[in-house]
Amino acid sequence: MPVWKTFSHNGIAFPDPYVPKGLSIRFQGQEVKLSPLAEEMAYQFAKKKDTPYVQDPVFRSNFMKYFTKQLPPPANKAKFEDVDFAQFYRFVDKERADKESMTKEEKKSLAATRKEAREKLKAKFGKAILDGKEIDLANYLAEPPGLFMGRGAHPLRGSWKPRITPQDVTLNIDESVEELTTEFGKFGEIVHDHESIWVARWIDKLTGKEKYVWPHESSDIQQSRNREKYDKAKKIGENLSDLQKEIRSKLSSRDRKEREVASVCYLIDEVGMRVGDEKDEDEADTVGATTLRVEHIKRLDNQAIDFDFLGKDSVKWVKTLPNPDPILVRNIGDFMKNKKPGDQIFENIGSAQVNAFLSEIIDGISAKVFRTYHATRTVQEYLGSKNMKKASDLEKLYFAKYANLEAAIYCNHKRTIPKTWEESLKKKEQKLEDYKAKGKEQMVAKMQKEIDLTKKTKEYNLNTSMKNYIDPRIYKQWCDEVGLDWNKLYTKSLQRKFSWVAPRPPDGEEEDEAPAPAKPRA
DNA sequence: TTCGTGACTTAGAAAGCCGGAC
DNA sequence: GTCCGGCTTTCTAAGTCACGAA
């Protein structure tokens, strides 16, 4: 089904070419002159010198594999330990120091220059006209070359991701354009795919994966898809008992495959697992429900099932399913029988089988919709658990954040704990004491709340659930009920993304509407 | 029925900006 | 007015899922 009639834009922009700085490395006591590409690689590596990444032997050796290919003999046989990058390290240190030592005026003018350049680029490449209406594009700049920053134990981490050129890029645009050349060059291919909304596409030269440029999430087309997603999740809620009845009944199917599918659905519904499709050898070893291995089940009995594995983004996934259905326990026990720790529990099933089963029960439902549904429901139940009408704005805000946290916990949205976490907590506690001593009651109350939230969100990140999982209509309705400005919960860009829920005035018009200035978010 | 591919959504880390506390 | 930490935005990796071909 076509989704657009006319679609025009100027293609995408490309990052500046690398400007060689005349730096060199030393190998076996000798200075080695570098080609521009070799220098660019070493420079990118040096920029990471103070991060944990460069301590990782795999990251280093992958980097060296690509770097040494650009070096003349005998340096092309160099090991990481044999190469002296001191000149590069000094260079990036100096760059940082220079940046820091700039006066305020210099910093300001630099920021202004950069902003101007960015806006100029955005004016030409950051927009498209879709069916006569101007929309923003999301990522209109091609990805720059650099070191591949795969998560977890990705086998390619540290490898060189090559530069892409306009020749490598395919544009999706309407028939009024047959070829396109910009200041960056001529685009490799033009297609007119009326059924797709991508703007540009290329193949990542390192990983072989497709990369896309999309309409911004504030565009009508993205917003309507977003709304459909949440409507679909609602459908799960309306039919949950049917779904669960069907899943439970198929747990004891005579057909093994059907029992596997039902067991996986049970896990997806009850503990919020992802479906977990098969991955390639050259990717990080992470799993979801269908790819769970024997070694990932730490306990299995009628009281509990304990899980411990690495999920998407190599995030540790440790949860307990209390009081599981005994038939599920029996199934999983059966599936694990006579298997080694590294063997998969479920055989020959993946998202295709799971989704075929689910969409048979309710049209259009797939595995991932359960996470949307449960995250949203979690927030809704939390918000409904207490009457906040008489509370202060501050209390309402924190209450809303705790609801958000419940969803993040459900979805297992973890973060690495910031290095400065302990330190910053101490500072807050100190501040609290100061406020107490000075008798600043309001500030005491505020700081107490801040400290409590800091502790509870130590290892969780709330943004992902806010952006992708919680139906914004739930928060909107609650805000209206308790009398809280919805804008205090959502950032400016989320307000734009969710303007289908609460329309906001076009940019630039807000300030003109006197008398009260728009209140900033807390 | 399986498999590969292409389109689209979800994800945490890093960069960058901005507003509150002094 | 300044400074710094935290919050927001950007970036791009890593998932899901439908579809068409074999």
Side-chain angles (χ1 to χ4, degrees):
Chain A
M1 273 248 287
V3 288
W4 54 263
K5 280 202 178 70
T6 65
F7 191 21
S8 65
H9 52 79
N10 298 316
I12 60 171
F14 292 80
D16 292 333
Y18 179 75
V19 181
K21 303 158 203 329
L23 299 172
S24 51
I25 55 163
R26 295 186 78 81
F27 174 63
Q28 293 175 341
Q30 300 290 310
E31 180 175 11
V32 181
K33 292 254 180 275
L34 301 179
S35 68
L37 177 58
E39 193 193 299
E40 185 177 11
M41 290 178 172
Y43 175 64
Q44 290 297 340
F45 185 84
K47 286 219 278 189
K48 298 252 173 331
K49 75 188 183 68
D50 298 319
T51 71
Y53 298 107
V54 298
Q55 305 302 325
D56 172 4
V58 177
F59 191 95
R60 284 182 183 183
S61 75
N62 278 336
F63 165 70
M64 288 305 285
K65 182 175 150 196
Y66 290 84
F67 181 53
T68 52
K69 272 187 199 151
Q70 305 303 322
L71 301 180
N76 61 344
K77 296 278 191 291
K79 293 272 170 285
F80 179 79
E81 296 70 31
D82 307 329
V83 178
D84 179 358
F85 290 101
Q87 222 184 83
F88 282 90
Y89 294 165
R90 280 198 299 274
F91 186 87
V92 300
D93 280 341
K94 177 148 194 315
E95 258 186 346
R96 274 178 215 163
D98 287 350
K99 213 169 156 191
E100 262 177 44
S101 68
M102 279 192 306
T103 66
K104 257 185 278 74
E105 288 72 36
E106 287 172 323
K107 278 184 187 165
K108 227 176 186 173
S109 98
L110 184 70
T113 315
R114 270 207 311 245
K115 190 173 178 189
E116 197 184 327
R118 209 172 45 233
E119 275 168 6
K120 204 175 146 203
L121 208 59
K122 183 173 177 182
K124 177 160 183 190
F125 297 102
K127 317 254 176 205
I129 300 173
L130 186 67
D131 286 335
K133 193 172 171 188
E134 183 176 277
I135 59 168
D136 281 357
L137 301 184
N139 51 328
Y140 53 87
L141 186 65
E143 290 175 14
L147 300 177
F148 178 72
M149 303 303 289
R151 310 259 166 91
H154 197 297
L156 296 180
R157 60 199 190 274
S159 302
W160 183 251
K161 183 174 77 166
R163 183 177 291 270
I164 68 141
T165 69
Q167 266 306 312
D168 303 321
V169 176
T170 302
L171 298 182
N172 189 23
I173 197 164
D174 69 25
E175 284 77 359
S176 67
V177 177
E178 283 309 334
E179 57 171 61
L180 187 60
T181 303
T182 69
E183 58 264 48
F184 301 107
K186 186 180 175 193
F187 286 96
E189 197 186 339
I190 305 279
V191 301
H192 318 293
D193 181 357
H194 289 251
E195 305 201 346
S196 297
I197 61 172
W198 56 269
V199 176
R201 179 182 69 185
W202 69 90
I203 304 283
D204 185 298
K205 289 175 183 171
L206 174 68
T207 61
K209 303 239 182 277
E210 318 236 356
K211 297 290 180 79
Y212 290 87
V213 173
W214 301 103
H216 193 264
E217 55 197 16
S218 61
S219 63
D220 285 351
I221 181 75
Q222 295 285 41
Q223 290 209 40
S224 68
R225 289 182 180 195
N226 189 242
R227 168 183 225 142
E228 285 162 18
K229 175 182 85 179
Y230 290 113
D231 285 344
K232 208 181 257 187
K234 264 178 147 174
K235 235 167 115 180
I236 286 203
E238 288 154 10
N239 298 279
L240 191 62
S241 60
D242 285 355
L243 273 161
Q244 294 185 337
K245 213 191 293 170
E246 190 64 16
I247 290 168
R248 276 153 187 72
S249 107
K250 288 294 189 311
L251 278 180
S252 31
S253 165
R254 269 197 291 280
D255 179 50
R256 164 158 180 151
K257 210 166 180 173
E258 211 163 52
R259 267 186 292 138
E260 288 192 358
V261 168
S263 301
V264 160
C265 288
Y266 189 105
L267 297 180
I268 287 170
D269 181 30
E270 292 290 328
V271 272
M273 269 185 208
R274 299 185 182 86
V275 65
D277 267 318
E278 212 60 60
K279 298 184 72 177
D280 285 344
E281 282 298 307
D282 62 355
E283 295 175 304
D285 174 23
T286 64
V287 303
T290 61
T291 43
L292 279 175
R293 299 191 293 260
V294 172
E295 59 196 333
H296 299 135
I297 307 268
K298 302 295 178 192
R299 171 183 176 181
L300 177 71
D301 55 47
N302 286 348
Q303 280 68 56
I305 309 179
D306 290 350
F307 302 95
D308 184 348
F309 58 85
L310 294 183
K312 179 175 178 179
D313 292 303
S314 298
V315 171
K316 208 156 166 51
W317 209 100
V318 182
K319 276 192 195 185
T320 293
L321 168 57
N323 307 315
D325 190 317
I327 307 175
L328 174 78
V329 175
R330 195 184 67 203
N331 280 349
I332 294 182
D334 278 351
F335 301 150
M336 294 192 344
K337 207 170 279 170
N338 301 322
K339 282 187 183 169
K340 297 192 212 51
D343 290 342
Q344 284 201 1
I345 297 171
F346 304 104
E347 295 160 24
N348 306 316
I349 65 160
S351 64
Q353 287 71 27
V354 171
N355 291 338
F357 174 73
L358 290 173
S359 59
E360 183 79 13
I361 309 170
I362 301 175
D363 189 40
I365 296 302
S366 62
K368 79 184 184 78
V369 186
F370 279 86
R371 282 168 60 83
T372 313
Y373 164 70
H374 283 299
T376 293
R377 179 191 51 78
T378 300
V379 167
Q380 189 166 21
E381 284 173 5
Y382 192 96
L383 291 178
S385 68
K386 197 170 163 190
N387 186 343
M388 296 299 285
K389 278 185 188 159
K390 297 223 170 68
S392 69
D393 269 17
L394 188 73
E395 287 166 329
K396 289 173 186 165
L397 201 58
Y398 274 92
F399 189 69
K401 285 186 190 235
Y402 287 127
N404 188 353
L405 174 61
E406 292 299 310
I409 292 170
Y410 175 81
C411 292
N412 200 48
H413 289 148
K414 300 234 175 136
R415 61 163 180 175
T416 45
I417 300 159
K419 305 190 281 293
T420 55
W421 192 86
E422 299 287 346
E423 192 189 328
S424 100
L425 177 65
K426 283 214 179 73
K427 276 186 192 165
K428 283 174 188 166
E429 284 169 335
Q430 184 57 52
K431 261 188 180 172
L432 175 65
E433 293 311 312
D434 293 350
Y435 288 140
K436 276 183 180 166
K438 289 179 190 158
K440 295 187 175 177
E441 279 173 39
Q442 284 219 325
M443 294 309 278
V444 168
K446 190 175 177 192
M447 196 48 72
Q448 275 170 339
K449 286 201 157 19
E450 196 178 320
I451 288 172
D452 187 55
L453 188 72
T454 300
K455 286 179 180 168
K456 286 183 172 141
T457 57
K458 181 174 184 182
E459 54 173 351
Y460 288 99
N461 115 53
L462 305 191
N463 304 324
T464 305
S465 49
M466 204 59 169
K467 182 174 182 188
N468 299 300
Y469 283 99
I470 304 163
D471 188 332
R473 289 171 293 198
I474 299 304
Y475 270 129
K476 181 66 171 67
Q477 195 188 347
W478 178 80
C479 281
D480 290 346
E481 273 169 28
V482 304
L484 181 69
D485 182 3
W486 190 76
N487 297 318
K488 288 190 176 175
L489 283 183
Y490 288 88
T491 64
K492 205 168 166 187
S493 55
L494 284 185
Q495 289 168 32
R496 281 184 78 201
K497 170 174 177 139
F498 294 134
S499 63
W500 57 272
V501 175
R504 58 193 306 279
D507 284 336
E509 287 181 23
E510 216 164 1
E511 296 87 316
D512 301 335
E513 290 173 20
K519 282 197 197 115
R521 290 168 26 78

